[in-house]
Every structure is written in C-alpha cells, then in structure tokens.
Amino acid sequence: MSKVFAFHGGIHPPENKKQSTRAPISKAPVPDKLVLPMQQHIGGPSLPLVKVGDTVLKGQMIAEPISRISASIHAPTSGKVVDIAEYPIPHASGLSAECIVIEADGEDRWIEHQGLGDYKQLKRTDLIEHIRASGIAGMGGAGFPTDVKLHLSEDHIVNTLIINAAECEPYITADDMLMRERAHEVLGGIEIIAHILRPSHVLIGIEDNKPNAIHALEAVLKHTDLNIDIVVVPTKYPSGGERQLIKLLTDIEVPSGRIPADIGIVCQNVGTTAAIYRAVHFGEPLISRIVTVTGDAVRHPKNLEALIGTPFSTLLEACDVRPEALSKLVMGGPMMGVTVENDQIPLIKTTNCLIAATEHEMPAAPPTQACIRCGMCEQACPAELLPQQLYWFAKGREFEKAKHHNLFDCIECGACAYVCPSSIPLVQYYRFAKSEIRTEERDQQKADHARQRFEARQARLEQEAAEKEARRKARAAEAAKAQSQKTAVQSSEAAAPETAAPDAKQLKTAAAVARTKLKKAQKAYDEAAALNADNLAELEAALNEARSKADEAEKALASSASSGSEGGDDQSKQLKIAAAVARTKLKKAQDALKNAEDKGLDGVDKLRATVATLEQKANEAQQAYEKAEASGTDKAPVEVDIKALKQQVSIMRTKLKKAESAIDNCEDEADKTRLGQEVEELKKRFEQATAQFDKAEQVLVERAAQAGIDLKQLRIDAAMARAAVTKGERSLSKAESDEERSQIEQDLVAARSKAEALNQTLSQYE
Amino acid sequence: MALIRLSSPHVYKANSTANVMRLVLIATLPGILAMTFFFGWGTLIQIALAGSLALAFEAAILKLRKRPVGFFLSDGSALVTAILLAVALPPFSSWWVTATGIFFAIVIAKHLYGGLGNNPFNPAMIAYALLLVSFPVEMTRWTSPMTQNGGGWQIASFADTLQAIFGSVEASWYDSFTGATPLDALRHRGALTTEELWRSSDVLLNGVGAWYAVSAAWFMGGIFLLSRKIFTWHTPLSMLIALFLTASAFYGFDPDNYISPMVHLGVGATMLGAFFIATDPVTSATSNRGKIVFGALLGILIYIIRTWGSYPDAVAFGVLLMNLCAPFIDQYTQPRTYGHSSANRGMKGKN
C-alpha cells in the first residue's frame, strides 16, 4: 500500500453520487439523428472525410485529425450523412461549430474491424498509430488526444504511470460504474499503456468513496504481472485534478508551466484505458462512452452507455426526465461543468455526466456581497494561490499584479467560489483576467511583429538603395569594358569568315573541277569505247577514279558548307592544300597520259606510272586532309545537328499526333490496323529522334559546362540584358531633362554592350 | 423548459457574510457577559446605544450612497463594529462620546473609504483612537470592577448608569464607581518597583482578577470562532506569543521595572485585540504567512507602546499602525504556489 500525501486546500461538497449507482450500466437508445462536432478534444478540429449524402458504416472514420494534436472521429452507427454544418456544441461559450449529422438507418451495421491480436509483437509506434486512428482522447473531461501522451516516452523517461480513478466531482459515477462492471477492460487498457510507456510503477488513484470499484479492481489485479498499486485517497475535491492527484500519490509537484511527463509521470483517465482496450483488442474506435445521467429532475438516475453524438434529450428521456422540474442542465460535474441551454446538444467524447438539476437542487447564486478578505478561499485553494488578492487585481484590471500572483496556475476548480461567503463568482473573474491578459499578449505580439516587419522593411529599402547605387557604378565600369571587348570580338569575327571563305571556295572549285574531270573522263571513255581502243580498261579505271574523286570533292564541299565558318585549323588547311596540289599534279599527269594515249606516244607507260604514283599521293593527301578535318571539326556536326534534331523531333511528334488522331477517326478495321502499324513505326522513329536530340543536347550542355558557363543562366542573363536595353530605351523616350537623358543614354550604352556580349557568348554555345 | 447558461461552479456552500458576522456576534457574548458581571450595566447600555446608532448611521449613509439599504444592513458588519467599540469604551461614557465614535467609525472610517471590504483601518479602533485623543478624561474614567472593594457584588444600579450615560451625575458618583485600570496603575508608578506597586494598589491587589476573568471570556469567544474556521490561528497566536516573548525578555532581565508577561496577556484589551480586532480580515494581512508577520509585529508594538508610550493601552494604536503595514506585508508574504520552487516577492519581479 502506497503512502498517501496531501495537497493544500480542497473542499467537501455534498457528493450526490449514490443516486446514480443503484442501477447497472444500461445501453442508451440509438437516436434517429447523431450530431458529431468536429472538435470534441483539445487541439485542432478534425477534417470531415465524408460528404452530405454519403452512406457510412458504424465505426467508419468520418473525420481525420489535421494536426499533431487532434483526434479522428468515427461514425457511431450506420446511416447516411445528411448535413455538415454548424450546430450548437457542448461548450461554455454556447457557440455553434462544424458538425457532421448522421441519420441512423437502424441497422447499426459495423464496418469490418478486428483487434490487433498480440499487440506486444507490434512496433510501439504502430500501436500508438492504431490508437490515434481509433480517435481516442482523454475521457476524464479535458479530452487531450491520448496518442500524443503515449508518444511521451520517446523524449521523456516515464517512471510512473498514474491512472486517474479519483472521480472527485460530485454526482459523477461513470468511472465508478465502469470499474465496478468492467474492471478487466480497465486492466487490459493499463497493460497496453504500460507496454507502450514502460513505467517502472503504475499507481491507480481512487477516492475512498468507491469501495465497490476498489474491490473490483483488486480482484482483477491478482492476474497481472505488472507493478500496479491501488492508492485509496481521502475524498476531497479536487483530488482528481491531475496535478493534485500526482501530489497526493507521489508528493511531487509538477512545476508550473510544465507537464507531468517532465517529472517522469504520465496520467491517464480510467475511462481512457477502457477505450484503449476496446480499440486494441477488438478494433473498435471510440464511438460510445459511459455517461452519468442524474439530478433531481430525472426519475431514474443511472449510467448509460451512449453513442457519441446522441442528443441530451434522448439521454434524459431514457432516464425519465421531468421537464417541468428541470431548471439547469449541466454537462460535467457541478464544480467545473458547463451549463447548456439546449437539450439537442450532443454527447461528446468528454461528456462524463449530465445533471438535470431542479431549482431547489442548484439554486441561483445569491447576490454578490463585498469581499471582506476573509481568506476562506485561500484555505480552499488547491493551487495555494491568494484567490482574494487575484479577485481584487482582476476587478481593478491590475493584470500585472495578477500575473505576479500566479494567476495562470489557477486550475479553475471552483473551490474558492464554492466557499466564498460573499458569493463572489471568483472563477469568472479569473477567466476574465486570463483572457484579458492573453488578448493583451496577443496584441503585444502583433505590435512587436509589426515593428519588426517595419524595421526589416526599412533595412531592406536602405540595402536596396545601396545595392542599386553599387550596380549603377558597376554597370558604368562594365560598359566601358564591354565596349572594348566588342571591338575585339568584331575584329575577330571579321577575320574568321575571311579565312573560312577561301576554304569553301577552294572546295567548291575542287568539286567543280572534279565534276569537269569526270565529264571529260566519261567523254574520253565513251570515245575510246566507240573507237574500240585497247586502253579501254585503263580509261575505265581512270573514269572510276575521277568519279570517286568528284564524289569526294562533293562530300568535302557539303561538309564544309554545313560546318560554315567553323572550318579547319591551320593543319587541315595545309593538308587541304596538299591534297589540292596532289590533285592538280594528278590532273596534269592524267592530261599528259591522255594526250600520249590519244597520240599513241612512246612514253605512255612511264606516264602511266607517274599518274598512278600521283593518284596514290593525291589519295593519301586527301585522306590525311579528311582525317584531320574529321578530328578537327568534331564539334561541328553536333552543333549542326542540334537544331535539325530539334526540328525533327517536333516533326515526328506532329506526325505521330496526326497518325494517332487518324486512328481515332478511322472506322474501318483494316485501316486501323494499318494505321496502327504506321503509328508504331512513327513512334519508334520519334523515340529515336528524341534520343538523338537528348544526346546532342547533353553534349552541348556538357561542352558549355566545360567552358565554365551555365547555359541556362546565360540564357536568363541574356534575356535580362535585352529587357534592360528595352527598358532603357523606353525611359529614354520619356526622359525630360537633358541631364537625365545623358545619364540614361550612358546606361543604355552599357546595357546594350552587355546584352550584345551575352548574346554572342550564347550564340557560341547554341 | 427554459435553460440558462451560467459559469461554473454551480453549487455553493451554504455560507454568507451575514453568517460570518452572526458567528462573531455570538462569540462576543461571553466577553459581554463577563464585563456586565464585573463592571455593571454600562457595557450593555453602551452596546445597545452603539448598535442602534451604527444601524442608523449605516442606513443613512447607504441611502446617501444610493445603495440597497436592507441588503447591506443585513450583513451585520455595522453591528460588529458597534459592539467592538462599545466594549472598548468605559462603561459610563457619555452618550455623545459613543455617538461621536460610532459616527466616525461607520461614516468616515468605513463608508467614506468605500464601504465594507474597502476600509484600510479597523473602524472600531480608529474611532477608539479618535475618542482617546479627543476626550482623554472621559476615556480614562474606567469603571472599577466590583471585586476591587472587596465588598461583594456591588455595582451601580441600572437607573444610575442610564443617568450617568444620558444625563449628568455628580463628580463624586464617578469617584465611587470608577478608578484607574491596572494598566493605568502600572504606568503611573512613580519610583516604586513593580512589586511595591503591586502591594500598594487596590486595583492590582483586588481588581485585576476581574480583568483576568474578562480576558478569559474573550479568549473563549476567540476559540469558538477559531473552531468555526471564521479565522485561522495565525494572527492571534503569533500576536500573543510575540507579546509574551517580548515581555518575558524584559521581565526576566529586570523584573523590578518591567511587568510580568502573564499580566500583559491578562489585562487591557490583549485578548479582545488578539481574537476580535487583529483578526478583522478586511484590514489585516491576507496570507497565512502575512498573518503571522502581522500578529507578531502587533504583539511587539503593543508591548512597546504599553511600556514606553504615553497611553496606557496600546491595542488600538498597534492595530492601526499594523493596518498601515498590511498591504506591504501582503506583497512580501505570498504563499508558494503549487509547482513553484519559491514564493514570489514584492509586486514586480520575474514570474
């Protein structure tokens, strides 16, 4: 048996618990319509997953959490979503909020669901994820999403798990009855939580006014191998407050502004443990809960297991309400509960009690009298505050002082207001002060943000101005530099075609010469054939020779023409010349040979040998030249190809599209097959072309990269430079004063030269 | 079925300020009875006079302030003030002394400061101090207790007492029924040691028993209030202990010139002050620690004023001085709130 410690203050209001523990827990009827608020928990509201008109099954997730601290919501019964709109919710504000309304079909058909089996084999994160997907939030009243608390062992050392079974508020017996009737579910849930958090010690804190529940728990605890202690604490409100219970059981105080996990403690409500048990062992999400329906205005106060979303009116009717006697409807306990104005408000995950009170039972508070600082509130305060001082500060709007007197450690338990002889609604004053302070702080934050933004903007404007000035200076310098560069480039440009042009001319001439030669050779052959000359074979060979040469010359011309100004270097030029020389020599020799042959001269044999030698030489020279050309102009073919390839790719694409649309339009089956084949063919070709293009482009980019230039960046720069020029021209036309104009002109010159330089660089690589 | 929306909590303890005041009134009964027994009808007549005047003044000022008269009259605070002043006055004081005191207590000290809960000074004590300063002769003409002359229960008749209060009586009448209080006697000792004085003084030899008895009656009333949790033990206990310890220190050091601590506790208004005046929640410190400081300083102040001051009794002045200090004490005696390692001090500071 663990020792019980004490917390300061506390009160002993009339318990009023006996009324609702006489009957066992019974099932509440399924209402025709269920209203499910999207916010039943602390944190972000859930996001609906269904639309109006959807059919849902019992247990189907209909809203998902949108943030870390949020909970999913499931359909409590099967039916149809008939509305997603704002409805009154059970909240102190009395406001409306988004709700999903389900019209029950009466079949109560479950979605397929099953338990996790041996959950100890699962990864703990998966287990927690399952609990999150089951929409479980703290069922003691606050509704903090349970999975968030279960994750605490990741960054906290959890020594002690405290199960809050104190249920200290008057009237409420939902946890009491749960423990009496379903102690094994409570234990099962504790085992799951203990498996996840691995505490060294589990404490169940329970008030001594629940002997039956204590017996039931003791009975099931015999079968567990966990280190669980039931700690019976004296009945005193608010011993069920998380911080008060921790103090009672461990004598440790949770530091102000921190959470219990910071001191190695995690608290879970006993109702939550049962919900976890059902979620893990049966796969049932949180769709119902036990609620105490009590108060003098119901004839049969008892605990009901009701579906989430059941309107209060259904619950009240199930307990035989006397409408004429009902004066106040309280959701929760009389100390911290919320009154509701409307009995159509639905039951939510945190609704542990519904008190239908008569006027006699909960009379209106007597008129407030002056505070005489009697200090009774101070003796009752479980947080050891000075409630009377806080009251004076709140009333006098002295919020700094209220904060200094630890207003924010107030848990709003209502003990001070309960004992106040002057009937001062103290808790309301604290709520007012807290919200005022929060508003002030928000305003202060907003003002701070605005100031920071303004300061940042000022700094940015100054920086921009400085940068602009620096850029202007840089541009002027660059303009001068670019001007000199431009002249250099122009001169080199002018030089390039001059050297390249002769080459092309030469080639052209060579080609023409070769063609003429071919013609001549043809003619000679024809004549010889007509004369039936004996050297016909030789002439034929010469003719073939001439033909191949002509072909070669043509090829060379073609390649040179396409390579443009990117002609060969010095070596290839020399080689070309050498080849040409060799050809000329050959030609002369051929002419001499022909002449000799025609005339039947003696030196024919000799000449023939000379021609053969020369031919060989010419061939060698040509080959050497071609080889050099091929190696020297490696770049050229790629550059040429890129545009052509691009074009080809686009052509192929268009063709392909056309062919495809033709297929679509075609009705004849045979045609279709044929077209299909064509399309296949086109596709292949398109792919080939694309591949080629990609390859070529890749080469291009690589080459540019080798030169240390980012092609993309270059393009962007060039475009910007052009835009700058356009802008400059425009502003020049608008400029009024001469001074301004000359300034702009200067800028424009610089911009133009920059743009040109960039364009040139770009054109080199494209 | 018209439901209403209200802020929690929805239940209240059956308690009210009027209830608190009623208990205080009940607790004064033993003291009143003892005083009547030892000093005659004067006390009762003063209480009746002061009570009715207090209600009348309260009603009038509430009407002037446009407050609901019946509602505030029923809280009983005016009656408590009236009784505390009435038992502090000499039983044969003239009606106009009492009337002046009640007027000052209710109208000036209480309502001009904002009414119940807002007055910085204890109304009964401030009225008493005013009367003591303004009418020293009347205020020091205390009735001799009936035990003083050793002739059994001899007190002034009811009619004579009425005559003394509302009319006028010959000076010799006063001589036969009034005398110095023990504290007066101890003050004006001349060159005598305490022991010599004790033996030579009638009031100290025979009369002091009556004072002890009255103090015991107040003490009983105080214990009753303590048991009903109207106030906590902090103020009275710390005040009595501080007074006792201070007196013991001086008495132990020089018994010839200083008075025994038991006498300090038993005579004058010590017990009345400890249980009925210093515990006035409106004007005293608010936290438990603050109450201890308040009571202890009050005990020391009472001893200092009694021993070296120019007035014989010191409870009224001590209480008024401490009333001045109460807000300051409050700032430095906040309790340590749950979850905080230490208590906050002062008004500002890191939080």
Side-chain angles (χ1 to χ4, degrees):
Chain A
M1 199 66 178
S2 290
K3 191 170 182 278
V4 180
F5 302 90
F7 66 90
H8 181 266
I11 53 171
H12 297 93
E15 289 179 20
N16 283 313
K17 287 186 189 251
K18 294 260 185 312
Q19 299 94 310
S20 53
T21 54
R22 289 182 204 122
I25 300 171
S26 53
K27 275 211 182 296
V30 177
D32 301 336
K33 257 188 198 177
L34 295 124
V35 181
L36 295 148
M38 289 298 97
Q39 177 132 36
Q40 307 186 14
H41 47 263
I42 285 177
S46 314
L47 192 71
L49 290 172
V50 291
K51 337 184 267 299
V52 175
D54 283 2
T55 318
V56 293
L57 291 173
K58 182 174 187 166
Q60 181 183 337
M61 193 190 284
I62 53 169
E64 61 177 356
I66 49 159
S67 58
R68 177 87 183 77
I69 300 179
S70 185
S72 48
I73 294 165
H74 301 76
T77 185
S78 60
K80 203 169 126 189
V81 177
V82 290
D83 199 7
I84 301 178
E86 298 221 329
Y87 282 87
I89 54 159
H91 188 266
S93 64
L95 293 174
S96 296
E98 191 181 33
C99 298
I100 295 178
V101 184
I102 295 176
E103 204 172 66
D105 59 9
E107 292 173 30
D108 213 22
R109 211 149 23 92
W110 266 100
I111 197 168
E112 209 172 290
H113 65 288
Q114 60 177 27
L116 296 179
D118 187 3
Y119 61 86
K120 288 184 181 167
Q121 301 300 317
L122 290 174
K123 265 167 54 184
R124 281 193 268 177
T125 47
D126 293 345
L127 191 52
I128 296 170
E129 200 43 52
H130 176 78
I131 290 166
R132 181 174 171 85
S134 302
I136 298 176
M139 292 169 78
F144 193 80
T146 301
D147 62 287
V148 180
K149 274 186 172 178
L150 295 180
H151 271 298
L152 286 171
S153 62
E154 285 166 14
D155 45 3
H156 292 83
I157 300 162
V158 178
N159 294 319
T160 310
L161 170 64
I162 290 180
I163 304 300
N164 189 345
E167 204 170 49
C168 60
E169 273 221 53
Y171 286 95
I172 310 174
T173 57
D175 288 350
D176 187 4
M177 293 306 285
L178 171 76
M179 288 184 282
R180 287 192 203 185
E181 298 189 9
R182 302 175 190 175
H184 64 284
E185 289 190 7
V186 173
L187 175 64
I190 294 172
E191 281 170 344
I192 294 164
I193 300 169
H195 169 69
I196 292 168
L197 295 176
R198 309 208 169 175
S200 54
H201 199 188
V202 182
L203 296 170
I204 303 176
I206 184 165
E207 278 191 346
D208 58 10
N209 60 359
K210 303 178 193 48
N212 294 341
I214 296 169
H215 287 315
L217 281 180
E218 276 169 350
V220 294
L221 283 189
K222 286 174 190 150
H223 310 297
T224 183
D225 37 1
L226 281 175
N227 178 13
I228 302 183
D229 275 323
I230 300 179
V231 187
V232 181
V233 302
T235 301
K236 178 164 90 166
Y237 177 85
S239 63
E242 187 176 63
R243 282 157 196 256
Q244 279 62 43
L245 189 64
I246 289 171
K247 170 86 172 144
L248 272 174
L249 302 190
T250 65
D251 203 27
I252 301 171
E253 290 183 6
V254 183
S256 174
R258 309 282 292 277
I259 57 168
D262 292 332
I263 51 168
I265 296 173
V266 170
C267 275
Q268 291 286 1
N269 176 263
V270 63
T272 317
T273 62
I276 290 174
Y277 172 85
R278 296 207 71 78
V280 170
H281 287 282
F282 304 107
E284 291 176 12
L286 180 53
I287 53 167
S288 69
R289 69 156 296 142
I290 297 170
V291 57
T292 309
V293 182
T294 183
D296 289 351
V298 290
R299 288 192 188 91
H300 300 109
K302 61 186 162 197
N303 280 279
L304 293 172
E305 179 160 20
L307 297 178
I308 308 292
T310 307
F312 289 162
S313 58
T314 308
L315 301 174
L316 293 174
E317 278 156 25
C319 294
D320 260 340
V321 70
R322 294 183 294 146
E324 72 288 350
L326 179 60
S327 88
K328 257 193 207 175
L329 192 53
V330 179
M331 181 187 114
M335 297 305 297
M336 292 182 77
V338 172
T339 49
V340 292
E341 291 168 299
N342 177 346
D343 65 359
Q344 291 308 307
I345 285 176
L347 175 91
I348 60 170
K349 291 174 183 176
T350 55
T351 315
N352 48 10
C353 185
L354 194 59
I355 307 172
T358 58
E359 175 59 35
H360 174 73
E361 196 176 10
M362 287 188 189
T368 299
Q369 288 173 283
C371 171
I372 54 167
R373 313 202 325 155
C374 64
M376 288 183 190
C377 45
E378 181 195 338
Q379 309 308 326
C381 180
E384 286 170 82
L385 297 166
L386 291 176
Q388 74 277 40
Q389 295 292 84
L390 292 174
Y391 157 72
W392 286 104
F393 297 145
K395 202 176 175 187
R397 302 184 67 91
E398 293 176 289
F399 299 131
E400 271 304 308
K401 289 184 184 174
K403 256 159 72 179
H404 187 60
H405 278 67
N406 301 323
L407 171 65
F408 281 93
D409 286 295
C410 169
I411 58 172
E412 299 181 20
C413 66
C416 50
Y418 178 79
V419 298
C420 180
S422 293
S423 314
I424 301 169
L426 291 163
V427 183
Q428 278 203 58
Y429 277 97
Y430 308 148
R431 289 190 188 123
F432 158 76
K434 282 179 181 177
S435 71
E436 285 292 295
I437 291 171
R438 288 199 191 103
T439 312
E440 265 179 23
E441 278 172 359
R442 248 201 321 276
D443 289 351
Q444 185 60 43
Q445 264 177 4
K446 262 188 205 164
D448 285 350
H449 278 164
R451 201 187 64 243
Q452 279 165 7
R453 272 203 304 273
F454 175 74
E455 283 169 2
R457 181 171 181 274
Q458 287 298 104
R460 198 183 67 236
L461 289 179
E462 278 167 25
Q463 198 191 345
E464 271 176 5
E467 273 173 9
K468 204 171 168 188
E469 179 63 18
R471 267 207 305 277
R472 198 186 62 73
K473 278 182 180 153
R475 265 203 310 274
E478 211 174 304
K481 203 170 139 195
Q483 202 61 35
S484 57
Q485 265 178 1
K486 189 178 164 191
T487 34
V489 168
Q490 272 171 349
S491 59
S492 69
E493 255 184 352
E498 276 163 28
T499 48
D503 227 17
K505 263 181 211 162
Q506 271 179 4
L507 284 171
K508 232 180 217 169
T509 324
V513 167
R515 274 197 299 276
T516 325
K517 253 194 253 168
L518 181 61
K519 268 182 194 159
K520 272 183 187 165
Q522 187 74 39
K523 209 175 168 185
Y525 176 72
D526 287 349
E527 277 170 9
L531 293 170
N532 202 9
D534 48 1
N535 60 347
L536 200 59
E538 282 164 14
L539 282 172
E540 200 171 1
L543 177 63
N544 285 342
E545 187 65 55
R547 193 176 282 149
S548 68
K549 267 189 198 161
D551 284 348
E552 273 165 14
E554 288 285 4
K555 244 185 237 165
L557 178 64
S559 74
S560 133
S562 56
S563 68
S565 62
E566 283 291 318
D569 49 15
D570 287 352
Q571 204 197 348
S572 79
K573 253 180 234 164
Q574 277 174 0
L575 286 168
K576 210 182 237 175
I577 294 164
V581 168
R583 276 198 301 274
T584 324
K585 275 185 185 165
L586 177 62
K587 188 188 153 197
K588 273 180 186 164
Q590 277 172 340
D591 284 349
L593 178 60
K594 202 184 165 193
N595 206 19
E597 276 173 354
D598 285 350
K599 288 166 186 173
L601 292 175
D602 291 310
V604 169
D605 286 345
K606 206 182 168 185
L607 275 169
R608 261 187 208 139
T610 317
V611 166
T613 325
L614 279 172
E615 266 174 359
Q616 207 180 338
K617 271 186 186 165
N619 280 345
E620 275 169 10
Q622 185 69 21
Q623 268 166 15
Y625 165 67
E626 275 171 3
K627 209 172 158 188
E629 188 79 325
S631 66
T633 58
D634 244 0
K635 313 167 186 173
V638 178
E639 278 167 44
V640 171
D641 280 345
I642 193 80
K643 268 177 199 160
L645 284 171
K646 211 179 202 171
Q647 209 174 2
Q648 203 178 352
V649 167
S650 72
I651 289 168
M652 294 311 297
R653 195 182 291 132
T654 325
K655 269 191 183 169
L656 194 58
K657 266 187 197 158
K658 268 186 195 160
E660 274 169 355
S661 63
I663 285 191
D664 289 345
N665 294 332
C666 178
E667 281 166 13
D668 190 284
E669 275 304 315
D671 277 359
K672 230 175 193 172
T673 333
R674 185 176 50 77
L675 283 169
Q677 278 167 1
E678 273 176 25
V679 165
E680 280 307 307
E681 183 70 17
L682 279 169
K683 250 185 200 160
K684 234 180 253 167
R685 279 161 67 188
F686 171 66
E687 274 158 20
Q688 275 171 9
T690 315
Q692 273 174 0
F693 172 70
D694 286 348
K695 209 167 146 194
E697 173 113 291
Q698 189 58 32
V699 171
L700 202 64
V701 171
E702 270 170 20
R703 196 149 47 77
Q706 273 170 13
I709 295 163
D710 185 349
L711 206 55
K712 250 187 209 163
Q713 190 54 46
L714 197 62
R715 274 181 196 140
I716 293 166
D717 286 351
M720 273 170 71
R722 283 193 296 268
V725 170
T726 321
K727 205 173 154 192
E729 278 165 353
R730 221 176 272 158
S731 56
L732 185 63
S733 66
K734 279 182 195 160
E736 280 163 7
S737 72
D738 283 346
E739 214 175 307
E740 209 180 333
R741 193 165 293 153
S742 67
Q743 175 65 42
I744 292 171
E745 267 168 7
Q746 267 179 26
D747 287 350
L748 193 55
V749 168
R752 266 188 196 137
S753 63
K754 192 181 172 188
E756 271 169 36
L758 280 167
N759 275 343
Q760 273 164 20
T761 322
L762 188 61
S763 65
Q764 275 176 23
Y765 291 97
E766 273 190 338
Chain B
M1 181 165 55
L3 298 171
I4 46 166
R5 189 165 67 240
L6 288 166
S7 182
S8 68
H10 309 291
V11 289
Y12 301 93
K13 194 175 180 178
N15 198 1
S16 68
T17 304
N19 214 21
V20 172
M21 295 299 174
R22 202 172 305 130
L23 283 172
V24 174
L25 292 178
I26 291 168
T28 57
L29 284 178
I32 292 168
L33 286 177
M35 282 186 74
T36 310
F37 182 79
F38 290 109
F39 300 109
W41 298 106
T43 305
L44 281 184
I45 294 167
Q46 293 293 354
I47 287 172
L49 173 63
S52 43
L53 279 174
L55 289 177
F57 284 134
E58 177 105 338
I61 192 81
L62 281 170
K63 192 126 187 106
L64 273 176
R65 291 181 63 209
K66 300 188 171 65
R67 295 291 192 278
V69 175
F71 177 69
F72 282 108
L73 269 188
S74 65
D75 68 22
S77 61
L79 269 184
V80 171
T81 302
I83 288 179
L84 292 180
L85 181 61
V87 298
L89 292 174
F92 294 147
S93 304
S94 296
W95 64 271
W96 50 268
V97 172
T98 311
T100 310
I102 290 295
F103 175 82
F104 198 74
I106 299 293
V107 176
I108 310 242
K110 183 173 162 191
H111 278 284
L112 290 195
Y113 282 98
L116 181 63
N118 296 301
N119 47 305
F121 298 105
N122 186 310
M125 286 304 103
I126 204 160
Y128 179 83
L130 173 91
L131 296 177
L132 188 61
V133 172
S134 310
F135 316 115
V137 177
E138 283 79 4
M139 289 300 288
T140 50
R141 200 159 54 195
W142 256 91
T143 314
S144 302
M146 59 105 183
T147 51
Q148 191 171 329
N149 304 320
W153 202 55
Q154 272 190 326
I155 54 164
S157 69
F158 186 74
D160 282 351
T161 312
L162 275 180
Q163 181 67 25
I165 293 171
F166 292 101
S168 63
V169 290
E170 290 167 26
S172 59
W173 188 86
Y174 281 117
D175 290 343
S176 57
F177 284 104
T178 66
T181 64
L183 284 172
D184 282 333
L186 288 164
R187 265 218 74 68
H188 307 289
R189 58 172 61 188
L192 301 171
T193 65
T194 306
E195 211 183 329
E196 288 164 349
L197 180 69
W198 207 265
R199 268 191 256 111
S200 69
S201 165
D202 261 358
V203 70
L204 292 180
L205 260 179
N206 304 314
V208 78
W211 291 94
Y212 287 162
V214 170
S215 285
W218 290 126
F219 179 80
M220 280 165 58
I223 296 298
F224 165 74
L225 289 180
L226 205 52
S227 72
R228 300 303 294 264
K229 296 186 175 167
I230 297 303
F231 50 75
T232 62
W233 53 266
H234 302 82
T235 313
L237 194 68
S238 70
M239 175 188 141
L240 295 178
I241 288 177
L243 179 59
F244 182 81
L245 290 182
T246 321
S248 302
F250 284 94
Y251 184 69
F253 169 68
D254 185 0
D256 282 348
N257 281 318
Y258 295 100
I259 305 163
S260 148
M262 291 316 292
V263 175
H264 268 294
L265 292 187
V267 300
T270 305
M271 288 299 162
L272 177 70
F275 289 99
F276 291 87
I277 314 278
T279 52
D280 169 23
V282 177
T283 56
S284 79
T286 196
S287 69
N288 290 344
R289 272 147 42 99
K291 287 177 200 159
I292 291 177
V293 173
F294 183 91
L297 289 176
L298 177 59
I300 295 167
L301 260 184
I302 288 172
Y303 186 81
I304 290 171
I305 299 172
R306 274 183 182 175
T307 311
W308 297 289
S310 38
Y311 288 95
D313 206 353
V315 171
F317 293 109
V319 164
L320 292 177
L321 283 171
M322 288 313 297
N323 286 166
L324 276 174
C325 303
F328 180 77
I329 294 172
D330 282 345
Q331 289 185 18
Y332 286 89
T333 53
Q334 286 185 44
R336 184 192 64 85
T337 305
Y338 178 103
H340 289 254
S341 55
S342 64
N344 289 330
R345 295 267 186 281
M347 264 306 161
K348 289 259 162 82
K350 58 182 185 325
N351 190 0

